[in-house]
Amino acid sequence: MTQFLGNVSWPRVAVVVGLAIVAFAAVRLLLTGLHRLFARRFQSAEDRKRLETLDRALRYITNIALTVAFFILLMSEFGISVAPILGAAGIVGIAVGFAAQSLVKDFFRGVFLLLENQIRLGDVVEIAGKSGKVEEVTLRYVRLRDDKGSVHFVSNGEITTVTNMSIGFSYSVVDVRVPSSADLDRVMEIMRQTAAELEADEEYGPRIIEPFDLAGVADWQEFSVVLRGRFKTGAGQAGSVKSRFLERVRAKLMEADVPLHEPVTRLRA
């Protein structure tokens, strides 16, 4: 061991280590500079999401590439021939390749997810039967966190269909159920008034893209009628707009003495 270490050119090892440190720092500065450059040009939230996702993926790939290159150069300085290792790795790689087809599938699917802008950090998506907010996108998996706080790691190879609720805009569909005996014209007028107030609201108005669209009767049963309307909102804003609208329309219906439930008469023997 002493003889082996004595044959090592430690100045050259120090140079390799120094070059590795410089390379990691230079790549980090380069990627940071590119991120800031494109961030100034991208004004929309959609473009910034994509930039952040691609930035993290690119950092992940470059770190792996630089680490592999560093260890190869370091082994050569310690007198370890790289060629036999690479040859053996090629032979073993063929055998392992059949067992690692899922990893290859994950990798290529991850590349297309990023290039086609299907999933970005912060998006709310449904993939492979799981739904939640995207916290991380790599070339191997997508990490989601659902409403309960549970974290799901979904392999990219399992993703065949992506349902993204955060691209462009969302629709907030609101249903108001009233007794069949209620004055429907009065109820629809209250819904329009509530929608107009919500659109003029300082907090919720900017979340609404287009005026309220009242479709009318969506369902009619023996004791109740469902009136349906729709808001076009910004991406990810549909839930909050729907919740606030229903809160306000319920209060207005109660003020107008519109019954919310059909009274039930029970007969006793």
Side-chain angles (χ1 to χ4, degrees):
M1 178 62 70
T2 303
Q3 184 179 1
F4 171 75
L5 295 178
N7 295 329
V8 176
S9 176
W10 293 106
R12 291 176 61 87
V13 172
V15 170
V16 171
V17 174
L19 289 175
I21 295 175
V22 172
F24 276 103
V27 170
R28 183 175 181 180
L29 289 174
L30 176 62
L31 293 178
T32 301
L34 290 175
H35 181 87
R36 292 176 178 175
L37 175 63
F38 286 106
R40 288 195 295 266
R41 296 185 178 183
F42 294 157
Q43 300 298 326
S44 68
E46 299 293 323
D47 291 335
R48 288 195 293 269
K49 278 186 178 181
R50 186 178 188 186
L51 177 62
E52 185 67 24
T53 304
L54 292 175
D55 179 68
R56 291 197 181 188
L58 189 58
R59 288 177 186 272
Y60 177 79
I61 295 172
T62 53
N63 285 336
I64 292 178
L66 288 176
T67 301
V68 172
F70 168 69
F71 276 106
I72 291 177
L73 291 175
L74 195 62
M75 285 189 296
S76 64
E77 292 302 326
F78 278 93
I80 303 174
S81 180
V82 180
I85 296 177
L86 294 178
I91 297 174
V92 175
I94 296 175
V96 175
F98 292 100
Q101 292 181 10
S102 60
L103 293 177
V104 177
K105 183 179 179 181
D106 291 343
F107 175 84
F108 282 103
R109 180 56 178 152
V111 170
F112 284 108
L113 285 175
L114 294 172
L115 292 179
E116 296 175 355
N117 197 28
Q118 297 182 24
I119 297 179
R120 295 84 48 86
L121 294 177
D123 284 353
V124 178
V125 301
E126 182 178 346
I127 52 175
K130 302 296 182 181
S131 60
K133 186 175 182 179
V134 179
E135 292 189 338
E136 185 179 8
V137 181
T138 70
L139 295 180
R140 196 176 67 82
Y141 64 85
V142 176
R143 186 178 72 193
L144 305 177
R145 186 179 298 273
D146 61 22
D147 295 337
K148 298 180 180 179
S150 302
V151 177
H152 305 284
F153 292 87
V154 182
S155 298
N156 292 334
E158 298 179 5
I159 302 174
T160 56
T161 302
V162 177
T163 303
N164 195 322
M165 283 77 81
S166 302
I167 292 182
F169 61 88
S170 301
Y171 281 118
S172 179
V173 179
V174 292
D175 289 339
V176 176
R177 184 181 295 273
V178 294
S180 56
S181 59
D183 184 349
L184 298 186
D185 290 334
R186 176 59 177 154
V187 175
M188 287 190 286
E189 180 61 26
I190 291 175
M191 292 176 65
R192 292 190 185 95
Q193 292 176 0
T194 306
E197 293 176 1
L198 198 63
E199 292 164 10
D201 188 89
E202 293 183 358
E203 180 180 358
Y204 290 91
R207 307 180 189 185
I208 301 173
I209 298 176
E210 293 182 358
F212 182 63
D213 179 19
L214 181 58
V217 177
D219 188 21
W220 189 358
Q221 299 180 2
E222 183 179 0
F223 297 107
S224 65
V225 176
V226 175
L227 300 176
R228 177 167 296 170
R230 185 178 73 175
F231 290 97
K232 184 177 181 180
T233 70
Q237 303 297 329
S240 61
V241 171
K242 177 180 180 178
S243 177
R244 191 57 177 163
F245 174 83
L246 293 178
E247 289 175 3
R248 292 189 176 187
V249 79
R250 181 180 183 276
K252 285 185 174 294
L253 290 174
M254 294 180 66
E255 291 177 1
D257 293 328
V258 176
L260 301 180
H261 302 283
E262 188 74 30
V264 178
T265 302
R266 296 183 179 180
L267 299 179
R268 294 185 181 180

